[in-house]
Amino acid sequence: MHAVRNADLAIADGEIFGIVGTSGAGKSTLLRTINLLQKPSSGSIIIDGVDITRAKGKDLRNFRLSVGMVFQHFNLLYARTVADNVAFPLHIAGKTKNEIGGRVPELLDLVGLSDKSSVYPSTLSGGQKQRVGIARALANNPKILLCDEPTSALDLETTNALLDLLGDINRKLGITIILISHEMAVVKKICTKVAVMSEGAIVETGNAYDIFAAPVHPFTRQLVEHTLDLELPPRLLKEVKGALVKIVYRGEKAEEPVLSDALRKHSIHFNVLHGKIEYINGKPLGVLLIDTIGNKEEIQKTIDYLKTRVESVEVIHA
Ligand SMILES: Nc1ncnc2c1ncn2[C@@H]1O[C@H](COP(=O)(O)OP(=O)(O)OP(=O)(O)O)[C@@H](O)[C@H]1O
Ligand SMILES: [Mg+2]
């Protein structure tokens, strides 16, 4: 029995890479192999051309310092102040008192907690606790930041602020971030690339935008569907007169008058029942649910026409 198998991933330097999947999919196990908290039973993990699965002793210790980790439940030391929590990995790395004294305020400033240096974590909000966790993870200037569901314990607003912070850190420091989440909504906000995991395997991987625009694997489709949240109320569904069609179009097509062109060319009517523009990593993606009313042949011709103009056209029910 394997927790993770056939995990073949390439993550580029400086990327924010998301790993999504439901509970038990193997996300944490996969992430823990990247800092060797978990040694894979086969295969290798290559970072900057070096197979870290073979590292031992001093090399292994040094390698571990180059990877920071942020946890869902923060894992702070509650008997120590915020500053001491952030200083902890610096002590472990053998930094001098002077070096630590200089570095801690820098880190607290980076995460916006300069005024909390001498308080204890129990007096902080969840979002602030996670900022401490991030400052601590960045203490030794890691090249990679691993985040295991860093926002799952936080409310929506705090989640967004924290994701913004991770995005800023990625841009400012050029650090590679690997972020686990069970929600596509988190990926949608900051990830450039994403791998989707199900039952111990990576089922799909690609640009975050492409995964949203054109998911291939049924599991990914279900995740995206859930995130787009386009379900029609049963009352409306009953009132659909023709074919219920879902149209997905990429940002750059949003300004083209696709629907009016389709109407002009075919003898049908449209009734727009639902629609939205989602922003994936800042890029717009449009989704529309349309009741397409007319005779079968005209509807089919319209659908064929639309297919030449937009990302995808799917008949949800005819
Ligand atoms: N070292 C191990 N050896 C064998 N099985 C393991 C090992 N570690 C975890 N598992 C099992 O592998 C599966 C995946 O666990 P993992 O914690 O990686 O999932 P996850 O995707 O992070 O889930 P969650 O969203 O709940 O955190 C689980 O069924 C778990 O019990
Ligand atoms: Mg997990």
Side-chain angles (χ1 to χ4, degrees):
M1 178 66 187
H2 289 88
V4 177
R5 64 204 134 74
N6 297 336
D8 193 359
L9 270 188
I11 299 173
D13 196 17
E15 200 158 69
I16 304 185
F17 193 99
I19 300 175
V20 276
T22 47
S23 188
K27 307 180 295 296
S28 296
T29 307
L30 176 60
L31 197 75
R32 283 201 306 266
T33 61
I34 301 173
N35 61 0
L36 290 187
L37 279 180
Q38 186 108 38
K39 212 169 169 165
S41 48
S42 64
S44 45
I45 292 135
I46 297 170
I47 297 177
D48 281 346
V50 178
D51 182 354
I52 55 141
T53 41
R54 291 164 191 276
K56 287 194 184 74
K58 193 161 167 272
D59 285 346
L60 180 59
R61 279 197 301 280
N62 281 339
F63 161 72
R64 284 225 169 98
L65 291 176
S66 72
V67 182
M69 183 141 180
V70 176
F71 306 87
Q72 178 177 4
H73 296 294
F74 326 124
N75 294 14
L76 302 179
L77 301 165
Y78 285 87
R80 301 203 188 180
T81 63
V82 165
D84 286 346
N85 269 273
V86 176
F88 190 72
L90 295 164
H91 282 295
I92 304 266
K95 299 279 191 252
T96 65
K97 235 183 168 166
N98 250 345
E99 287 170 315
I100 297 175
R103 181 76 178 132
V104 170
E106 268 174 28
L107 289 157
L108 290 177
D109 182 46
L110 182 68
V111 299
L113 286 182
S114 294
D115 56 334
K116 300 290 182 192
S117 173
S118 53
V119 310
Y120 286 88
S122 56
T123 66
L124 300 178
S125 70
Q128 290 170 327
K129 283 178 190 156
Q130 195 57 295
R131 284 169 191 265
V132 178
I134 292 170
R136 178 186 57 187
L138 294 174
N140 287 311
N141 282 315
K143 287 184 292 189
I144 303 172
L145 183 64
L146 305 177
C147 306
D148 193 347
E149 310 237 14
T151 60
S152 301
L154 307 173
D155 63 47
L156 191 64
E157 205 173 314
T158 314
T159 291
N160 283 336
L162 220 89
L163 294 176
D164 285 341
L165 174 67
L166 287 174
D168 283 348
I169 286 170
N170 166 260
R171 278 186 294 276
K172 256 189 226 161
L173 309 180
I175 190 171
T176 306
I177 298 181
I178 307 175
L179 175 78
I180 288 185
S181 179
H182 58 270
E183 288 177 294
M184 284 299 264
V186 166
V187 168
K188 194 179 86 176
K189 189 129 200 285
I190 59 165
C191 296
T192 37
K193 287 266 181 68
V194 56
V196 181
M197 287 191 81
S198 174
E199 296 173 8
I202 294 169
V203 297
E204 190 161 353
T205 162
N207 281 324
Y209 191 85
D210 293 334
I211 296 260
F212 270 91
V216 177
H217 192 276
F219 180 71
T220 317
R221 294 172 72 100
Q222 194 189 324
L223 276 182
V224 169
E225 200 80 0
H226 182 75
T227 310
L228 295 178
D229 187 23
L230 282 170
E231 207 163 318
L232 286 181
R235 183 187 57 79
L236 251 184
L237 207 53
K238 265 191 238 145
E239 285 171 23
V240 172
K241 296 188 184 73
L244 184 61
V245 174
K246 180 171 133 190
I247 298 173
V248 175
Y249 54 96
R250 294 192 183 238
E252 57 271 24
K253 303 244 174 166
E255 284 137 41
E256 295 176 17
V258 176
L259 288 187
S260 52
D261 287 354
L263 276 180
R264 208 155 14 83
K265 286 177 191 286
H266 307 93
S267 36
I268 48 143
H269 298 286
F270 280 144
N271 195 6
V272 177
L273 300 179
H274 205 329
K276 59 166 69 166
I277 294 176
E278 287 280 351
Y279 287 85
I280 321 295
N281 211 342
K283 271 171 66 189
L285 178 74
V287 193
L288 287 174
L289 280 186
I290 295 173
D291 187 6
T292 314
I293 306 156
N295 75 41
K296 274 211 158 79
E297 211 173 301
E298 280 300 301
I299 289 176
Q300 191 53 52
K301 275 195 208 154
T302 309
I303 289 170
D304 292 341
Y305 172 75
L306 285 171
K307 279 184 178 163
T308 67
R309 299 282 307 265
V310 299
E311 175 67 32
S312 73
V313 183
E314 185 188 342
V315 180
I316 294 181
H317 89 110

